[in-house]
């Protein structure tokens, strides 16, 4: 009531400092609310205060001071209170777009709101922290879809995402570039099949309605003497709706709508911004990837889902490639004068791999492997150290006690 009474006259209203004080009180009112359901109710009440302002200038000043308050207070918010302020930002953005909807998506008012959001949040000179920027970019298309998916045309949607095209081409912050490319343009690409399906359904419904109207007119022209089939106004049949209309309303409630875009126009707009001389190279490289996807959508080609770019370059994967390199290296070593039998036994012998490592390190050359029945006191103990099952069964022909006597002091004498 106070806001309505204060903003009814054009010469009255709030100053910038007064609204900053108001928003500080509202901010800490939200800060002190701990119950989740009451937080949601309070956030809805606070965000809907924008409709109480009677002039457009006062509404814009109210929104401007809100984002300035969030930028100022954001570093002091602890992690336990982040979710409710994320929710508050989402609700305030939703109501700001609702104000545009009530104004018929006027071009002048749309430009004013986009300029305000760009100055306070997206612009490099703004004081918005990374958390505020990232969340705003993440929720913009979602809230715009909730408010104006049924009304907005492709040209209006292109105008609404215009600031993101400009900032993506000019920003020096890699995080902002990644968030805009992922949260705005990649989302448009991902929603393209749903958008085209909705457009085709709308065209089919329009054609069916036109055919029904024509058929009804032809029937009335052919049979002018028949009574009208419409029931009287006071009857029960007149109050019931057809089943097909009821089913259509149920489908509208159950399906999620998406925004319609002219993909060629979006690609041309991005190319115009990315091809400028002052565009940083990393921005140009990232935007060109999005432009190629949008151009493919304009030609009717949909990207393959859930397939990373590395899979196109290397379809076999990293682990198989490493195995392939190891196999090629062992084949090259087998060609350096070794017997074929040793090459066959090399994969299953752990001692062979150890000798190979010593050879690569520049150590002693590998000693040929002795047979189980041969002599030599050093070969048997090395085979005993190996944790192999059945090792004693393989060297049953060796005389281990004699080898031990040679190592006693009496044997050395």
């Amino acid at each position: 009531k106070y806001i309505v009474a204060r903003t009814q006259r054009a010469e009255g209203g709030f100053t910038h400092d007064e609204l900053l004080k108001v928003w500080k009180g509202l901010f800490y009112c939200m800060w002190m609310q701990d119950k989740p359901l009451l937080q949601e109710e309070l956030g809805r009440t606070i965000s809907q205060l924008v409709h109480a302002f009677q002039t457009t200038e006062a509404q814009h000043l109210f929104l401007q001071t809100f984002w300035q308050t969030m930028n100022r207070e954001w570093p002091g918010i602890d992690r336990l209170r982040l979710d409710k302020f994320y929710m508050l930002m989402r609700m305030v953005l939703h109501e700001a777009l609702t104000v545009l909807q009530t104004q018929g998506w006027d071009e002048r008012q749309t430009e004013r709101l986009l300029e305000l959001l760009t100055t306070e949040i997206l612009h490099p000179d703004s004081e918005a922290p990374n958390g505020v920027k990232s969340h705003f970019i993440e929720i913009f298309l979602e809230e715009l879809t909730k408010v104006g998916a049924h009304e907005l045309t492709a040209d209006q949607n292109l105008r609404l995402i215009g600031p993101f095209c400009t900032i993506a081409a000019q920003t020096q912050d890699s995080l902002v570039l990644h968030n805009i490319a992922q949260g705005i343009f990649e989302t448009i690409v991902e929603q393209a099949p749903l958008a085209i399906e909705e457009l085709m359904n709308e065209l089919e419904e329009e054609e069916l309605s036109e055919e029904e109207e024509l058929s009804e007119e032809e029937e009335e022209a052919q049979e002018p003497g028949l009574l009208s089939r419409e029931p009287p106004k006071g009857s029960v049949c007149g109050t019931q709706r057809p089943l097909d209309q009821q089913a259509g309303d149920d489908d509208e409630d159950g399906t999620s709508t998406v925004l319609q875009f002219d993909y060629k126009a979006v690609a041309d707009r991005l190319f115009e911004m990315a091809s400028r001389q002052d565009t940083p190279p990393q921005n140009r490289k990232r935007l060109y990837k999005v432009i190629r996807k949008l151009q493919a959508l304009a030609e009717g080609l949909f990207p393959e889902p859930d397939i990373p770019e590395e899979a196109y370059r290397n379809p076999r994967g990293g682990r198989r490639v490493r195995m392939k390199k190891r196999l090629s290296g062992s084949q090259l070593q087998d060609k350096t004068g070794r017997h074929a039998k040793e090459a066959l036994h090399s994969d299953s012998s752990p001692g062979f791999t150890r000798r190979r490592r010593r050879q690569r390190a520049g150590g002693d050359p590998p000693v040929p492997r002795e047979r189980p029945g041969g002599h030599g006191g050093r070969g048997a103990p090395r085979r005993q150290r190996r944790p192999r099952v059945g090792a004693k069964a393989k060297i049953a022909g060796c005389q281990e006690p004699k080898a031990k006597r040679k190592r006693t002091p009496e044997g050395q004498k």
Side-chain angles (χ1 to χ4, degrees):
K1 292 180 180 179
Y2 174 67
I3 292 173
V4 171
R6 183 81 180 267
T7 58
Q8 280 182 350
R9 294 178 297 176
E11 59 272 9
F14 293 92
T15 64
H16 182 266
D17 294 337
E18 288 175 344
L19 284 180
L20 282 177
K21 294 177 182 179
V22 169
W23 265 118
K24 190 167 187 178
L26 295 174
F27 178 86
Y28 282 103
C29 180
M30 192 72 178
W31 179 284
M32 298 302 294
Q33 183 55 258
D34 295 331
K35 297 181 179 180
L37 294 178
L38 296 180
Q39 288 173 5
E40 186 176 355
E41 182 182 357
L42 179 62
R44 189 178 296 107
T45 303
I46 292 175
S47 61
Q48 289 177 354
L49 287 176
V50 68
H51 302 290
F53 290 86
Q54 302 299 307
T55 59
T56 307
E57 290 75 12
Q59 289 177 342
H60 283 275
L61 189 60
F62 182 73
L63 295 173
Q64 181 184 7
T65 50
F66 164 73
W67 291 109
Q68 290 177 354
T69 303
M70 292 304 301
N71 295 339
R72 184 187 69 244
E73 303 291 342
W74 187 262
I77 301 176
D78 57 278
R79 62 181 182 85
L80 298 176
R81 291 182 170 90
L82 276 178
D83 289 340
K84 58 183 176 183
F85 286 107
Y86 279 142
M87 179 183 64
L88 181 61
M89 285 192 289
R90 181 183 290 270
M91 289 181 174
V92 170
L93 178 61
H94 182 89
E95 297 302 328
L97 295 173
T98 304
V99 171
L100 283 183
Q101 184 187 27
T102 55
Q103 296 171 352
W105 304 101
D106 184 66
E107 293 186 7
R108 182 181 177 184
Q109 301 300 330
T110 302
E111 292 296 332
R112 289 189 62 183
L113 178 62
L114 293 178
E115 183 180 358
L116 185 152
L117 296 175
T118 304
T119 304
E120 300 298 334
I121 305 172
L122 296 176
H123 199 272
D125 296 336
S126 67
E127 299 179 356
N130 290 331
V132 176
K133 289 183 179 180
S134 301
H135 188 64
F136 173 77
I137 296 169
E138 181 183 356
I139 66 177
F140 183 80
L141 281 186
E142 296 178 8
E143 298 306 316
L144 184 62
T145 302
K146 294 176 185 178
V147 175
H150 296 285
E151 305 173 1
L152 292 171
T153 62
D155 295 337
Q156 290 174 328
N157 290 329
L158 179 59
R159 188 181 303 112
L160 286 166
I161 65 169
F164 297 98
C165 301
T166 305
I167 297 299
Q170 295 178 356
T171 183
Q172 299 287 340
D173 191 349
S174 59
L175 179 62
V176 174
L177 174 63
H178 172 74
N179 290 333
I180 293 177
Q182 192 69 30
I184 303 296
F185 304 121
E186 294 290 347
T187 302
I188 294 173
V189 173
E190 292 173 0
Q191 293 179 353
L194 298 177
I196 294 175
E197 184 179 356
E198 283 191 4
L199 183 61
M200 297 300 295
N201 292 335
E202 290 178 2
L203 294 176
E204 290 178 0
E205 290 177 359
E206 291 178 359
E207 292 177 358
L208 290 175
S209 62
E210 290 177 359
E211 291 177 358
E212 290 177 356
E213 291 177 358
L214 291 175
S215 62
E216 290 177 358
E217 292 176 358
E218 291 176 357
E219 290 178 357
E220 292 177 357
Q222 292 177 0
E223 302 177 358
L226 295 178
L227 295 175
S228 177
R229 298 180 180 178
E230 297 180 359
K233 296 182 179 180
S235 63
V236 178
C237 297
T239 59
Q240 292 181 354
R241 302 174 62 190
L243 294 177
D244 55 352
Q245 293 182 5
Q246 295 177 4
D249 294 344
D250 294 339
D251 293 340
E252 288 180 0
D253 295 338
T255 57
S256 61
T257 56
V258 293
L259 296 171
Q260 298 291 337
F261 286 95
D262 184 358
Y263 303 111
K264 186 178 184 303
V266 178
D268 294 342
R269 178 69 180 275
L270 277 178
F271 182 77
E272 178 185 357
M273 303 302 300
S275 59
R276 294 182 178 179
Q277 295 182 355
D278 57 347
T279 303
Q282 64 272 12
N283 299 33
R284 185 182 295 112
K285 182 179 179 181
R286 184 68 179 90
L287 292 178
Y288 279 173
K289 292 181 180 179
V290 179
I291 291 170
R292 285 193 292 268
K293 293 180 181 180
L294 292 170
Q295 290 175 348
L297 286 175
E299 296 174 0
L301 302 176
F302 293 92
E304 293 291 337
D306 299 330
I307 299 179
E309 296 181 0
E310 291 78 4
Y312 294 106
R313 304 174 188 171
N314 185 10
R316 304 196 69 178
R319 184 177 179 183
R320 294 185 178 180
V321 170
R322 289 196 296 269
M323 292 172 64
K324 186 177 180 181
K325 289 181 179 179
R326 290 178 182 175
L327 290 175
S328 61
S330 63
Q331 290 175 1
L332 290 174
Q333 289 184 359
D334 291 340
K335 293 180 181 179
T336 59
R338 297 194 177 178
H339 297 287
K341 293 182 179 180
E342 294 179 355
L344 291 174
H345 293 290
S346 62
D347 293 336
S348 60
S349 175
F352 182 80
T353 57
R354 288 196 296 268
R355 291 194 297 272
R356 185 189 300 174
R357 291 174 184 171
R358 289 198 300 270
Q359 185 179 5
R360 290 177 183 173
D364 297 331
V367 180
R369 186 176 179 182
E370 296 183 0
R371 296 181 180 179
H375 297 282
R378 296 184 180 179
R382 289 184 180 176
R383 286 195 294 271
Q384 288 177 0
R385 292 195 193 104
R386 300 172 191 164
R388 293 170 56 188
V389 179
K392 295 182 179 180
K394 290 185 178 182
I395 58 174
C398 295
Q399 297 179 0
E400 294 181 358
K402 291 182 179 180
K404 290 181 179 179
R405 290 195 191 98
K406 289 182 180 180
R407 292 186 177 182
T408 57
E410 297 179 358
Q412 291 179 1
K413 292 179 181 180

